[in-house]
Amino acid sequence: MKPALAAALLLLLGAAGPLDSYVQPGRLVALPDGRHINLRCTGTGSPTVILEAGFQAWSFAWDRIQPALSTLTRTCSYDRAGLGLSDPAPGPRDGLAQARDLAATLKAAKIAPPYILVAHSAGAMTARLFADLQPKNVVGMVLLDPSVEGQFDGQRAQVAATVARYDACAAAAARRELPSKLPELSRCNSPAKAAPSAFDKQVAALMLTPAYWKTLAREYAAIAGATTDQLRRGRQSYGKMPLVILTPGGTGPLTEQAQAQLAAWMAAHDALAAKSSAGSNEMVLGSGHLLMRDQPDVVIEAVTNMVKAAR
């Protein structure tokens, strides 16, 4: 089973409620190199919950989660470099580079530990590497259908083709050829709606920029490459740190093939949960990949329980 990648943004927008508040930045935090990262912190209390979005998404992905958690404790979401309202970054966009960006952002914003990390899909890889960087500051993780190292093993050709498609979108954007009616560039167009909101218009404008597509290409290449290598070299035991994995069980009857794929994916998540003596992997019925959309109450409950236990 693979994480929802190219389709994630479309699904999130299609399922989302009013998002116009995400047109404006929360707080543009200046990093030492001069870049700015968009950080949205709400609520008060400790530990601080850090929300890490999946591939192709940013802080808006948590609009059904952050308000509820903010009534319990300080909760922060952010836009990774090159996505949303954050400045792009030079060089590779692997998990370790992203984790270092997050650490620098929290330091500059004076968001003190301890932290509980809540991450979706490929964002879980970044969260785990952040926990490797700051093992004493991370007191728990809740991972929603997390990507795992090795899931793209043997798929180099497919990964390379996807990266090439994103690079083609970046090149078309640089030539100001987007949006396009050409079939080969149709994937580069933003999700269209009959009456777009301010947020929809912002996303449409964002998807016309070369920086956006270059970021996707770099992130996707790293998921199957450098980020996987970094995790394999990283911490193999989280000791007693609470680790909760939520695996979607689907929204309807599964074919025999889908059942086999789900069983294999559960096994991969079981192996990840076993890295902590306080780890668990729970199947969430009635949910697809976007757990924070399909079953937000389950996510909120898992994080709430972890926050209370940490206290």
Side-chain angles (χ1 to χ4, degrees):
M1 182 180 293
K2 301 178 184 178
L5 296 171
L9 184 62
L10 176 61
L11 290 172
L12 281 165
L13 289 174
L19 287 165
D20 286 359
S21 61
Y22 287 85
V23 172
Q24 300 299 323
R27 175 184 176 186
L28 293 176
V29 179
L31 301 188
D33 63 3
R35 290 182 293 122
H36 290 83
I37 297 294
N38 182 37
L39 179 70
R40 302 181 186 277
C41 292
T42 51
T44 58
S46 179
T48 296
V49 172
I50 306 296
L51 303 172
E52 179 74 50
F55 179 79
Q56 204 174 5
W58 52 95
S59 55
F60 78 89
W62 302 104
D63 72 311
R64 295 183 181 179
I65 302 297
Q66 185 163 357
L69 294 179
S70 297
T71 66
L72 176 69
T73 195
R74 178 167 56 182
T75 305
C76 300
S77 58
Y78 79 109
D79 303 344
R80 287 191 300 277
L83 299 177
L85 299 176
S86 291
D87 293 335
R93 285 287 82 202
D94 56 69
L96 190 55
Q98 292 166 345
R100 287 170 175 159
D101 270 2
L102 176 57
T105 299
L106 296 175
K107 181 178 180 180
K110 298 182 179 179
I111 306 297
Y115 308 122
I116 287 176
L117 307 179
V118 181
H120 176 239
S121 192
M125 303 176 94
T126 298
R128 289 171 58 197
L129 289 166
F130 179 88
D132 283 359
L133 289 177
Q134 301 198 13
K136 294 182 180 179
N137 292 338
V138 176
V139 296
M141 291 193 292
V142 178
L143 307 180
L144 316 182
D145 203 15
S147 300
V148 295
E149 56 272 36
Q151 74 181 75
F152 287 106
D153 287 355
Q155 300 181 42
R156 290 186 179 182
Q158 296 94 318
V159 170
T162 299
V163 171
R165 288 196 293 270
Y166 289 138
D167 282 334
C169 292
R175 297 191 300 267
R176 298 188 177 183
E177 295 177 355
L178 299 181
S180 175
K181 293 183 180 179
L182 296 175
E184 62 269 24
L185 295 179
S186 61
R187 70 185 65 85
C188 309
N189 297 332
S190 63
K193 291 191 176 181
S197 67
F199 178 73
D200 296 324
K201 290 178 181 178
Q202 180 198 58
V203 172
L206 174 66
M207 293 179 73
L208 298 178
T209 65
Y212 171 74
W213 292 105
K214 287 179 180 177
T215 298
L216 296 192
R218 290 169 178 167
E219 282 198 6
Y220 194 82
I223 291 169
T227 301
T228 281
D229 294 339
Q230 291 159 359
L231 285 169
R232 283 175 167 154
R233 293 193 300 266
R235 191 160 37 143
Q236 298 305 307
S237 172
Y238 296 113
K240 298 179 181 179
M241 184 190 71
L243 170 61
V244 173
I245 297 174
L246 300 177
T247 302
T251 57
L254 300 178
T255 64
E256 185 174 338
Q257 180 181 10
Q259 289 176 355
Q261 290 175 335
L262 178 58
W265 195 231
M266 281 292 291
H269 284 172
D270 285 342
L272 176 55
K275 292 180 182 292
S276 168
S277 61
S280 65
N281 175 30
E282 174 186 346
M283 182 183 292
V284 181
L285 299 177
S287 180
H289 180 59
L290 301 176
L291 282 147
M292 62 285 198
R293 294 268 169 223
D294 295 343
Q295 293 285 357
D297 290 345
V298 174
V299 177
I300 292 166
E301 181 181 12
V303 181
T304 297
N305 290 340
M306 190 172 289
V307 168
K308 291 180 177 179
R311 289 175 176 172

